[in-house]
Amino acid sequence: MARRSVTKAHQKIQELSWEPTFVEKDPKYKTDYKLDKGTQKDPMKQVLQSYFTMQEEKDHRVYGAIDGAVRGSMWRQVQPRWMEWQKLFLSIIPFPEISAARAMPLLTEAVPNPEIHNGLAFQMIDEVRHSSIQMNLKREYMKNYIDPAGFDITEKAFSNNYAGTIGRQFGEGFITGDAITACNIYLQVVAETAFTNTLFVAMPSEAAANGDYLLPTVFLSVQSDESRHMNNGYGTLLMALANDENKDLLERDLIYSLWNQHAVVDAAIGTFIEYGTKDRRKDRDSYAEMWKRWYYDDYYRSYLVPLEKYGLKVPHDVIEDSWDRIWNGWYVHYVAQFFATGWFANYWRIDPMTEDDFEWFEHKYPGWYNKFGKWWEHYSALSEPNGHKPIAFEDTGYVYPHRCWSCMVPCLIREDTVFDYVDGQWRTYCHKHCHWTDTVAFREEYKGRPTPAMGKMTGKREWETLYHGWDLADVSKDLGYVRDDGNTLVAQPHVIMEQDKMWTLDKIKGIEFQSPNVLLNQMSDDEREKHIADYKAGFTINSSI
């Protein structure tokens, strides 16, 4: 189709949009923002004839690569350490994609602009396509990888796992609360514009280095659609900026969105890239180096800061605090340590770190060994069952952490932890920004202005409370993380495939699982005060859960 005719077709589409005048609209999806019908244009001028031709070609490449991987026995070459982490990653990522598709009707109803509506329609189709090719990728891994256990239960496991529920909290952010908050700021302006480089570029790079060329094919195909989604988000953001009444809400939503996604996305992707790889070339970028280039320089300095000329108040402190946690706070490394500590409640294996890993970490993160080296040596020594308990229940000096009520990632940088009595219970937060998110942002009023569309955070947000007092073997059975023999655990603290090296239910039976939050709420005031002081100081309070 000629460029001129595409433009005419695009203009014709806008004539199909209309607002009824014979009834007063009562929107199903609410927003507290004030948006006037804007004049923002859709520079992509996408129409079905050109769109489907382009997407068909991309799908041919994706499914052609899958066929090539099967014929070329890719799974004989891929690193098991990498593939095991994909059981978690590929269980989580289709959910945010389909949540993004569901977000488009919310945004279409809230935004009075036919040109943007056109872009949102194509974004919805994009997101459905993304979840479909990701689910197909997971299917191929399950069919061909040497240990498919874990891949086969990912949809169930995602919903009940202590890490999967964090991913669910992230994806549900696209479709809950204020329609503009969720679908525009949280999804388009932050998730798709800021974090898709680390999600869909950094991950493919590491996959290829570990012998997996299918994930790069799929996820670079996904990333090629994101420029349209960023454009949709930018147009809606400019509409919001046109009304001064929205400035406070924009500031609120940026603080919440930037911090929550740092807490969740950096925790997950940073761990996959740094601890799921066997590629220890010294000239390979660390996750911190990738973040500084793609997030700090490309997104923050090149996208967010220039918007200040339109009156947007950028929360610079949130960006700086995020970087401080990644570089000075060892955030990603604490997350990886926590995942490995809780291996018994996983549905994937976690490979011990080796001397090559130690050397690389020390090169990229000077001082790493003094903080984490001895613990990973303990993990390796305790990885094969030999009469001992899982590492979380052995005396290694590690304190099982409290969980953050807002982002649901544990409170790992202990000096930053906030303890507060909120809505009738003691809650813990990983940082002052997460405390602010629950106690200020998600409330019925913000800076004296009613915000009924925002809602508030509810539900069972601390995973450990669900199994307080249970026998560890019963936890695994209830979760469904047991192999077909009815005894061997799906999760293992190694990637050794021999049956006699595998942990089984009888090896973890008799261990009581406890929730730090339940215990916190049961303490007397004096006990709680001492516990909080010791926890924030990083003292070894109790080496077991």
Side-chain angles (χ1 to χ4, degrees), residues 67-90:
D67 184 62
V70 173
R71 293 171 183 269
S73 298
M74 184 193 83
W75 287 273
R76 293 178 180 269
Q77 307 162 36
V78 70
Q79 292 289 345
R81 176 188 286 184
W82 173 260
M83 288 297 293
E84 289 295 331
W85 279 107
Q86 300 319 298
K87 293 175 181 177
L88 174 60
F89 178 58
L90 290 177

Side-chain angles (χ1 to χ4, degrees), residues 83-256:
M83 288 297 293
E84 289 295 331
W85 279 107
Q86 300 319 298
K87 293 175 181 177
L88 174 60
F89 178 58
L90 290 177
S91 70
I92 294 175
I93 195 64
F95 178 76
E97 299 284 13
I98 208 65
S99 292
R102 294 170 63 195
M104 294 305 102
L106 280 70
L107 201 53
T108 299
E109 185 169 76
V111 177
N113 185 307
E115 292 239 358
I116 291 178
H117 292 173
N118 189 68
L120 298 177
F122 287 105
Q123 179 168 349
M124 182 176 69
I125 302 171
D126 282 345
E127 308 292 9
V128 173
R129 171 181 175 266
H130 296 173
S131 65
S132 297
I133 60 176
Q134 290 161 6
M135 291 290 282
N136 272 284
L137 175 65
K138 180 166 57 178
R139 176 176 176 268
E140 292 301 324
Y141 285 171
M142 180 181 69
K143 288 171 58 180
N144 294 283
Y145 176 53
I146 189 173
D147 185 11
F151 279 127
D152 59 338
I153 60 169
T154 49
E155 292 310 293
K156 174 187 176 182
F158 159 73
S159 68
N160 65 8
N161 177 259
Y162 70 87
T165 49
I166 301 171
R168 178 178 170 183
Q169 179 270 138
F170 165 68
E172 285 183 345
F174 300 164
I175 53 175
T176 55
D178 188 296
I180 298 297
T181 303
C183 312
N184 177 238
I185 307 303
Y186 189 86
L187 169 58
Q188 295 172 325
V189 173
V190 177
E192 294 181 308
T193 309
F195 280 99
T196 52
N197 273 334
T198 54
L199 270 169
F200 300 147
V201 180
M203 280 288 286
S205 174
E206 208 54 48
N210 284 274
D212 176 7
Y213 58 81
L214 266 191
L215 187 140
T217 303
V218 170
F219 281 90
L220 291 177
S221 182
V222 169
Q223 180 68 353
S224 65
D225 292 328
E226 297 299 333
S227 59
R228 286 198 307 281
H229 307 175
M230 297 174 196
N231 171 70
N232 290 338
Y234 191 76
T236 304
L237 175 61
L238 292 182
M239 289 182 67
L241 281 168
N243 191 323
D244 287 340
E245 290 186 59
N246 297 324
K247 300 297 174 61
D248 283 345
L249 298 185
L250 285 169
E251 179 190 6
R252 176 200 67 184
D253 293 346
L254 277 175
I255 295 171
Y256 150 61

Side-chain angles (χ1 to χ4, degrees), residues 162 166 259 263 267 325 329-335 337-339 398-420 426-435 461-464 516-517 520 531-532 534-539 541:
Y162 70 87
I166 301 171
W259 184 259
R325 290 220 303 178
W330 305 92
Y331 182 56
V332 169
H333 311 284
Y334 279 127
V335 173
Q337 182 184 36
F338 170 72
F339 278 147
Y398 184 80
V399 181
Y400 192 88
H402 285 282
R403 188 171 292 268
C404 179
W405 174 267
S406 294
C407 72
M408 299 172 64
V409 180
C411 305
L412 300 169
I413 303 175
R414 298 174 192 261
E415 62 269 26
D416 290 345
T417 306
V418 177
F419 295 78
D420 196 5
W426 280 95
R427 294 178 180 174
T428 49
Y429 305 89
C430 69
H431 193 276
K432 64 181 181 181
H433 295 314
C434 270
H435 177 250
R461 303 187 67 81
E462 290 142 336
W463 181 87
E464 289 79 5
N517 185 262
L520 180 72
H531 174 83
I532 290 171
D534 288 348
Y535 189 88
K536 295 183 74 168
F539 294 163
I541 307 162

Side-chain angles (χ1 to χ4, degrees), residues 338-359:
F338 170 72
F339 278 147
T341 298
W343 70 261
F344 53 84
N346 294 346
Y347 50 95
W348 66 96
R349 299 167 176 258
I350 297 181
D351 194 24
M353 296 296 103
T354 66
E355 290 295 330
D356 287 342
D357 300 312
F358 292 174
E359 184 180 348

Side-chain angles (χ1 to χ4, degrees), residues 313-502:
K313 187 175 181 181
V314 175
H316 302 283
D317 60 325
V318 173
I319 306 291
E320 297 298 340
D321 288 346
S322 300
W323 170 245
D324 184 65
R325 290 220 303 178
I326 289 173
W327 185 245
N328 297 314
W330 305 92
Y331 182 56
V332 169
H333 311 284
Y334 279 127
V335 173
Q337 182 184 36
F338 170 72
F339 278 147
T341 298
W343 70 261
F344 53 84
N346 294 346
Y347 50 95
W348 66 96
R349 299 167 176 258
I350 297 181
D351 194 24
M353 296 296 103
T354 66
E355 290 295 330
D356 287 342
D357 300 312
F358 292 174
E359 184 180 348
W360 186 88
F361 280 122
E362 193 63 33
H363 175 70
K364 291 294 185 178
Y365 300 96
W368 179 91
Y369 183 81
N370 286 337
K371 291 191 73 68
F372 302 99
K374 288 295 183 182
W375 187 90
W376 278 104
E377 289 173 356
H378 284 309
Y379 180 84
S380 181
L382 297 170
S383 62
E384 297 180 31
N386 190 25
H388 54 78
K389 300 175 184 177
I391 188 170
F393 304 92
E394 292 288 346
D395 188 9
T396 63
Y398 184 80
V399 181
Y400 192 88
H402 285 282
R403 188 171 292 268
C404 179
W405 174 267
S406 294
C407 72
M408 299 172 64
V409 180
C411 305
L412 300 169
I413 303 175
R414 298 174 192 261
E415 62 269 26
D416 290 345
T417 306
V418 177
F419 295 78
D420 196 5
Y421 193 73
V422 179
D423 293 341
Q425 69 177 111
W426 280 95
R427 294 178 180 174
T428 49
Y429 305 89
C430 69
H431 193 276
K432 64 181 181 181
H433 295 314
C434 270
H435 177 250
W436 172 92
T437 294
D438 180 36
T439 59
V440 178
F442 277 86
R443 295 288 155 169
E444 295 179 353
E445 183 178 291
Y446 183 72
K447 291 188 175 181
R449 171 181 176 175
T451 52
M454 194 63 171
K456 69 176 183 178
M457 296 179 173
T458 59
K460 298 288 188 180
R461 303 187 67 81
E462 290 142 336
W463 181 87
E464 289 79 5
T465 63
L466 302 175
Y467 292 108
H468 180 69
W470 282 48
D471 186 286
L472 199 60
D474 293 332
V475 173
S476 293
K477 288 189 288 186
D478 186 71
L479 290 169
Y481 301 172
V482 182
R483 294 170 184 258
D484 290 343
D485 63 8
N487 189 37
T488 306
L489 303 182
V490 172
Q492 299 292 326
H494 55 67
V495 294
I496 304 169
M497 302 300 170
E498 286 85 350
Q499 181 61 38
D500 62 346
K501 305 292 187 182
M502 304 276 266

Side-chain angles (χ1 to χ4, degrees), residues 296-316:
Y296 194 90
D297 291 339
D298 291 354
Y299 173 69
Y300 168 54
R301 296 177 63 187
S302 302
Y303 177 89
L304 273 188
V305 172
L307 288 170
E308 290 189 317
K309 65 185 177 183
Y310 298 111
L312 182 66
K313 187 175 181 181
V314 175
H316 302 283

